[in-house]
Amino acid sequence: MFKIGYRTLKTAAGTTLAIFLAQLAGLDSFPSAGIITILCTKVTKKKSLGAAYSRFIACLIAMVYSTILFELIGYNPVIIGIILLLLIPTTVALKVNEGIVTSGVIILHLYTAEHITLDLWLNELGIIIIGIGSALLMNWYMPSLENKLIDYQQKIEENFSKILMELVNYLHTNESDWDGKEITETTKLLAEAKTLAFRDVENHFLREDDVYYHYFKMREKQFEIIERILLLATNIPSKVKQSKMLGEFLIELSNNVHPQNTAIIYLQKLDEMEQIFKKMELPMTREEFESRAALLQLMKEIEQYLQLKHSFKGLPEPKKQHEKLKVGEN
């Protein structure tokens, strides 16, 4: 079974509306309004508005070139090629080259008319305006992406918790049978979440950034640190007393992965633990020395992990209570 998406429904409705209005207005070549609507219906409001602007400007330029060259030189296929030779560099220079295909349709309308009049110009402008207007009308409403973004946020945080717990197990036992599936899964989730968050940004005309996009960027940087931490942990030669202490800290951390920002609490606890480590007896063997040095490096990475979260202001409370929303601290 195939799936009909929201954009598909909008495209179908917008095309129908454009053709209906163009035909109702008595315009010649009225089906072309539907073609313009299809080309202008995009996945976000900003992209749709950009496409509309590009096509409108490109069509106006094409009409000017066509009027001058067709009327001065003649209605000949060679002239169409000359028009395109002028049109394409012009639209590229003006950064409206997305409208080349649409303007090509208008050029052919003028060519088949074999005589350009004011009425023909008004007819083509009517087709362009109705086509673009129908697409913008259909794209005026965009469904909220908040619930999907929250789903991604929760899945990523759950994976962070699982990964940190696996790290705890290794610190306690120096052994692990973990398959690491959360690593590859989280990489995929972060990429998809950032793409979706960017779409959400482009559906708002009055703001340039989006807190969810920044949130997923922050988690992406934290994930890079987690990967480094895992590598460091595997290089710890043996289990030492400090491993258990750090493991207990990580248990608390893994149980409190959350979008809100209270990382300062854990930064303070981490600093206190580091001070305790400094007061402990010096290592007696080379292996213990290497293990404690690796643990200190691991703690520095955890500090960076928490600093990233501390610099993030936190996500807003969702408008609707999400069923799976967890309570936590980090």
Side-chain angles (χ1 to χ4, degrees):
M1 293 294 292
F2 61 89
K3 183 180 179 181
I4 298 177
Y6 188 75
R7 183 186 171 192
T8 302
L9 291 173
K10 289 195 299 182
T11 302
T15 302
T16 303
L17 177 64
I19 294 173
F20 171 76
L21 291 176
Q23 188 174 11
L24 187 66
L27 300 177
D28 293 330
S29 304
F30 57 85
S32 297
I35 296 173
I36 295 173
T37 299
I38 293 171
L39 294 171
C40 289
T41 305
K42 301 293 182 180
V43 294
T44 67
K45 288 182 181 179
K46 285 185 178 179
K47 285 184 178 179
S48 186
L49 188 63
Y53 171 78
S54 294
R55 296 181 197 287
F56 184 74
I57 298 300
C59 285
L60 288 181
I61 295 169
M63 290 169 69
V64 171
Y65 283 156
S66 298
T67 300
I68 295 171
L69 293 174
F70 282 146
E71 290 296 312
L72 290 180
I73 302 175
Y75 291 80
N76 188 291
V78 175
I79 304 303
I80 295 177
I82 295 173
I83 293 171
L84 291 174
L85 286 174
L86 294 172
L87 176 66
I88 294 173
T90 304
T91 55
V92 170
L94 296 175
K95 297 181 181 179
V96 294
N97 49 302
E98 190 178 359
I100 290 172
V101 175
T102 308
S103 58
V105 174
I106 302 301
I107 291 169
L108 294 177
H109 286 177
L110 300 178
Y111 174 74
T112 54
E114 295 186 347
H115 182 55
I116 298 174
T117 63
L118 179 60
D119 287 340
L120 182 58
W121 256 72
L122 293 175
N123 184 87
E124 298 306 306
L125 283 174
I127 290 172
I128 296 165
I129 291 170
I130 289 174
I132 290 174
S134 297
L136 292 177
L137 182 63
M138 291 298 107
N139 266 13
W140 184 254
Y141 170 76
M142 287 289 183
S144 174
L145 298 175
E146 184 176 16
N147 282 346
K148 289 183 179 180
L149 291 168
I150 291 174
D151 284 336
Y152 274 108
Q153 166 225 315
Q154 291 178 350
K155 288 175 184 175
I156 289 167
E157 288 173 359
E158 286 170 7
N159 278 6
F160 270 40
S161 294
K162 290 177 183 177
I163 294 168
L164 289 173
M165 280 306 301
E166 290 296 336
L167 176 60
V168 170
N169 292 335
Y170 186 81
L171 288 174
H172 283 171
T173 64
N174 255 37
E175 295 179 357
S176 176
D177 58 357
W178 178 43
D179 59 8
K181 68 175 183 178
E182 284 82 9
I183 296 291
T184 53
E185 186 179 294
T186 303
T187 301
K188 181 182 177 184
L189 287 172
L190 284 166
E192 292 174 354
K194 284 197 305 174
T195 300
L196 189 66
F198 188 72
R199 273 181 56 191
D200 188 52
V201 173
E202 291 210 323
N203 279 331
H204 299 88
F205 292 122
L206 300 180
R207 70 186 190 200
E208 292 299 325
D209 60 353
D210 185 90
V211 68
Y212 277 103
Y213 183 77
H214 291 306
Y215 170 79
F216 292 123
K217 283 290 291 182
M218 178 271 295
R219 286 300 189 195
E220 185 179 50
K221 291 177 181 177
Q222 281 190 318
F223 186 62
E224 291 172 0
I225 293 174
I226 287 177
E227 289 181 307
R228 293 201 299 269
I229 288 173
L230 292 174
L231 184 62
L232 279 170
T234 58
N235 290 326
I236 297 175
S238 63
K239 184 173 64 174
V240 292
K241 184 179 180 180
Q242 290 83 359
S243 298
K244 185 178 180 181
M245 294 174 63
L246 184 58
E248 290 172 355
F249 172 81
L250 288 172
I251 289 174
E252 187 178 358
L253 202 62
S254 67
N255 288 332
N256 294 289
V257 179
H258 186 266
Q260 304 309 318
N261 191 354
T262 53
I264 187 65
I265 296 173
Y266 296 94
L267 283 167
Q268 291 171 350
K269 289 184 178 182
L270 189 67
D271 182 64
E272 290 170 4
M273 185 166 54
E274 188 176 353
Q275 297 306 317
I276 293 172
F277 283 6
K278 289 179 179 179
K279 294 177 182 178
M280 297 176 78
E281 293 182 0
L282 294 173
M284 303 297 294
T285 65
R286 178 183 179 86
E287 190 177 60
E288 186 183 354
F289 174 80
E290 290 176 350
S291 295
R292 288 176 63 171
L295 284 171
L296 286 173
Q297 181 60 37
L298 196 150
M299 289 173 67
K300 292 298 181 184
E301 294 287 359
I302 294 172
E303 183 181 5
Q304 289 184 43
Y305 171 93
L306 291 169
Q307 288 288 0
L308 280 170
K309 186 61 185 296
H310 183 54
S311 64
F312 179 73
K313 63 183 179 181
L315 289 177
E317 290 295 328
K319 293 178 183 178
K320 291 185 177 181
Q321 183 66 31
H322 203 272
E323 292 180 359
K324 301 179 182 178
L325 199 57
K326 297 192 304 181
V327 176
E329 298 295 340
N330 172 48

